[in-house]
Amino acid sequence: MDEVKDEWEVIAVGIGYVVARNGPYGYPDLLDHYYMDEDNAQHVADQLNGHADITDAPRFNED
């Protein structure tokens, strides 16, 4: 059986945000963190979806 994985999305909950997706059998998969800033939640969702831009990360060998 092929498992279809939906992309992670940012969902507003109360005054903050969670990162979630549709899981197996229609049950949601939720991360165990509540974000107050939508940009932080979107960054995590992008990382989980493989869309994160990590080219700006500092490298150990740079001066």
Side-chain angles (χ1 to χ4, degrees):
M1 181 177 169
D2 293 332
E3 182 179 345
V4 176
K5 297 227 177 193
D6 294 319
E7 291 211 355
W8 293 92
E9 299 180 13
V10 176
I11 299 172
V13 177
I15 61 169
Y17 304 90
V18 295
V19 177
R21 69 175 177 182
N22 287 334
Y25 309 110
Y27 295 107
D29 284 336
L30 294 171
L31 290 185
D32 60 349
H33 194 78
Y34 186 77
Y35 300 91
M36 296 305 292
D37 184 27
E38 184 178 10
D39 291 335
N40 289 343
Q42 186 61 55
H43 180 72
V44 171
D46 289 343
Q47 284 182 326
L48 292 170
N49 291 329
H51 304 298
D53 183 16
I54 59 170
T55 58
D56 293 337
R59 304 288 179 226
F60 289 113
N61 59 356
E62 290 182 353
D63 290 335

